[in-house]
Amino acid sequence: MLSKLNPVQRAAATYLDGPLLVLAGAGSGKTRVITHKIAYLVQECGYEARNVAAITFTNKAATEMRERVGSLLQGKQAKGLVVSTFHSLGMNILRAEGGLLGYKPKFSILDSSDVWKILSELTNSGDKQELRDLQTQLSNWKSAFIAPHEALENVKSEEEKVHARIYGRYQETLRAYQAVDFDDLIHLPVELFKQHPEALSRWQQKLRYLLIDEYQDTNDCQYKLTKLLAGKRAAFTAVGDDDQAIYAWRGASIENLHNLRNDFGNLKVIKLEQNYRSSQRILTVANHLINHNTKVFEKKLWSEHGIGDTVRIYAAKDDEHEAESVVMKLLAHKFEHRTRYSDYAILYRSNYLSRVFEEQLRAQRIPYTVSGGTSFFDKAEIKDIVSYLRLLANTDDDPAFVRAITTPKRGVGNATLEKLGSYAGIRHLSLFAAAFEHKMEELLSPQQYQDLMMFCNFINRLQERADKDPCAELLDELLRAINYEAWLYDSHESRQAEGKWKNVQDFIAWIKRKAEADEKSLLDMVQTIALINMLEGKEQEIDAVSLSTLHAAKGLEYPHVFIIGVEEDILPFRESDEKGIEEERRLMYVGITRAERSLQISYCNRRRRGKDWYACEPSRFLDEMPERELTYAGGHAEAVSTVTKSEGMDKLARLKAMLNKTE
């Protein structure tokens, strides 16, 4: 089984004499090490699969890991193995132990739009930037284990004082809804384990060996959870790469890699430096660049994939010229090498840079996908259906109640909801519970009360069956009862309604399949849906050029990569301090190491902002690359070869025609 690993990978997979840090360079086969180590623990070391946990950051990574382990462990050997995200693990801990903190097992998980709505109501503000800042502040407080009263005691400005007061009211609102937000899924298990050692002991016995992927992306909260679960036994393998730590803005702390050395004196460090992805030239450029950062762990990637082409640095006249030249180069390369569109990626520091490339790709009818577009789970029609499911799981979930009772409309208008909301507030009840109080019959007209009761009784009837009856049967019944398809066609133009109904059908079919495969009830599926919604959307494999931010491209690889807009103030970002410059350099490193066979880096000599043109300066990172591995094309402002727009378009059209003839 271990014969497919190189000697260093094998050493990492078989080391069990204490805590282990595997420093896994880009493309060095870290997933292979983790999956083979799981198989080794079960087949050779006497571990039961149910006592091993592999923890990662996205559902996609967890699914890939599960599939790979499945090919190594046969039959029942893998039964009970925990392969999950940090947030899924936190959810399962809270499901099992949340009663100790006053939560019922079917608590709701609020997504960012629910949180946004609550904060908007608490602040009486619709200012997007203000709400974004507030959300960030609250998230930072939770990650640092600062309670609302502590936040209020330590405020440094009037704005922080306001935020701290809202924080307290926000937490009270969540408790009233029996709901948690995304940060709570890690924060609350840590609090739980600190307050209830018996619960921690149960989970330490349950998870006897931990493998943590993408360790450099952990925040303080996740590190504390890992440390608590590892306990004195410290039976864990952390796999990470300090050169790919690019999420400080999201709370990730590269210090967690260094803290391992301080907290675990017997920590063993193994470096994976052989890269299985890129040509040597691409790696030489990446190594040379990242050596300008301060290092705790020295590491140098190397490859047996041959020397490869030089890295091309292209100077464009302006952003339109950059887009034209990249698309022209891409088409010419595709024509010459008979590749697929999906072999190409165009990467950039910020989303706004994609617009001119999208225009150019559309003009040439080249299929493309953009990362960070609207997630399938963020579509209004999906959120409508999910609101019913959330309410079935937890009738205290007020945001779900309001959305479900008003979509489709069922005679319950704002007047009814205002009276219900006001009464629920006085009585400290959820909207659903308040509806069943005798006083509500007096406060509402007979028709208003009848419509409200009809909805609430319908939810109660479904809820009684949601844990027992087949998931598929209940879902079909729900859609028929609320007459959602007819409502879509009444509310939208027919083509739009058709698309929305198709999305709902796809979603329902997906829940049915997953519920059957995982043997889960409809109630179990609700929390699963909430997590998938927040970790990533629905992905489809199609033959298209990938447009992506550098952050979103991490973990991916493409045969041919274009990194665009590599200029001062863009990459590195203009507001970066010394620490920030190092993170931006790591971001550039991540971009370079996505490329397997060819890489072009481009920048503009000028960019338009509004009606004016501004001169651009090539990024300092270009000067930090080894000149002997680079080929320069284009030119500086005074020497750019002048190709008019019409000439460029003609050339592209001829190229496209040639391409169409050969396909």
Side-chain angles (χ1 to χ4, degrees), residues 126-179:
D127 186 312
K128 287 185 178 177
Q129 191 55 52
E130 191 181 311
L131 290 171
R132 213 173 282 126
D133 291 345
L134 178 59
Q135 236 173 330
T136 303
Q137 178 68 78
L138 265 53
S139 181
N140 290 343
W141 273 329
K142 282 194 184 185
S143 295
F145 292 91
I146 296 169
H149 70 275
E150 292 170 319
L152 199 53
E153 284 163 16
N154 298 305
V155 293
K156 295 184 181 70
S157 66
E158 197 56 41
E159 185 185 36
E160 268 193 25
K161 194 176 187 178
V162 173
H163 284 183
R165 285 195 178 129
I166 293 164
Y167 181 23
R169 290 170 61 203
Y170 170 70
Q171 287 302 101
E172 286 165 15
T173 306
L174 291 194
R175 289 304 293 240
Y177 291 174
Q178 275 285 306

Side-chain angles (χ1 to χ4, degrees), residues 25-57:
S28 63
K30 68 181 176 69
T31 307
R32 178 180 286 191
V33 168
I34 293 170
T35 52
H36 279 75
K37 185 153 197 167
I38 292 168
Y40 179 72
L41 287 165
V42 173
Q43 291 178 337
E44 305 291 332
C45 306
Y47 278 83
E48 294 283 337
R50 67 175 182 272
N51 297 137
V52 177
I55 307 166
T56 186
F57 277 81

Side-chain angles (χ1 to χ4, degrees), residues 232-246:
K232 287 178 184 168
R233 206 169 51 233
F236 71 82
T237 295
V239 182
D241 182 6
D242 49 341
D243 291 335
Q244 293 188 75
I246 56 172

Side-chain angles (χ1 to χ4, degrees), residues 584-603:
E584 295 288 301
R585 191 177 283 112
R586 290 194 291 270
L587 192 56
M588 184 75 195
Y589 173 87
V590 164
I592 292 169
T593 53
R594 297 314 91 200
E596 295 171 1
R597 294 198 284 284
S598 79
L599 172 65
Q600 175 176 297
I601 298 167
S602 59
Y603 65 91

Side-chain angles (χ1 to χ4, degrees), residues 600-617:
Q600 175 176 297
I601 298 167
S602 59
Y603 65 91
C604 295
N605 284 304
R606 60 176 192 164
R607 280 186 186 277
R608 192 191 287 278
R609 281 184 220 149
K611 292 179 181 176
D612 299 323
W613 287 99
Y614 290 85
C616 301
E617 193 183 331

Side-chain angles (χ1 to χ4, degrees), residues 38 78 84 124 140 199 218 240 294 327 347 355 361 381 393 432 462 465 491:
I38 292 168
S84 81
N124 201 19
N140 290 343
T218 54
T294 49
V327 171
L347 310 180
R355 185 189 56 80
L361 290 164
E381 59 273 22
F432 189 88
L462 277 182
R465 299 163 50 202
S491 315

